[in-house]
Amino acid sequence: MLVEEGKIDLEDPLSKYVTWPRGEEITVRMLLNHTSGIPDYLAEIDIATPHPPGKILDIMRKKDLR
């Protein structure tokens, strides 16, 4: 829907929306296709402990791309 509304482009880099290591190399399409190399956050954090979204992003920014 966001693409159809012209609010986002699938070829936009991640760095357009958030600060991320190598974010200029990762596209929105790659995120949606799960091909960005960013690890699955559910496998990287303790899901039994509540984390605010900003904290999850901070944790994941420190992980290497796969």
Side-chain angles (χ1 to χ4, degrees):
M1 288 174 52
L2 293 174
V3 172
E4 290 174 3
E5 294 172 5
K7 294 180 179 178
I8 193 169
D9 187 294
L10 295 176
E11 301 311 318
D12 283 344
L14 177 60
S15 59
K16 182 174 179 177
Y17 303 99
V18 295
T19 301
W20 202 270
R22 297 176 55 190
E24 66 283 347
E25 300 172 29
I26 300 168
T27 66
V28 172
R29 183 182 306 278
M30 292 167 75
L31 287 173
L32 294 172
N33 288 334
H34 303 278
T35 59
S36 68
I38 297 173
D40 178 3
Y41 78 95
L42 292 174
E44 300 290 332
I45 65 169
D46 177 10
I47 61 172
T49 304
H51 298 283
K55 179 69 172 174
I56 294 171
L57 290 176
D58 289 342
I59 292 168
M60 295 309 298
R61 279 187 188 100
K62 296 174 187 170
K63 302 291 181 183
D64 291 331
L65 295 178
R66 296 184 179 162

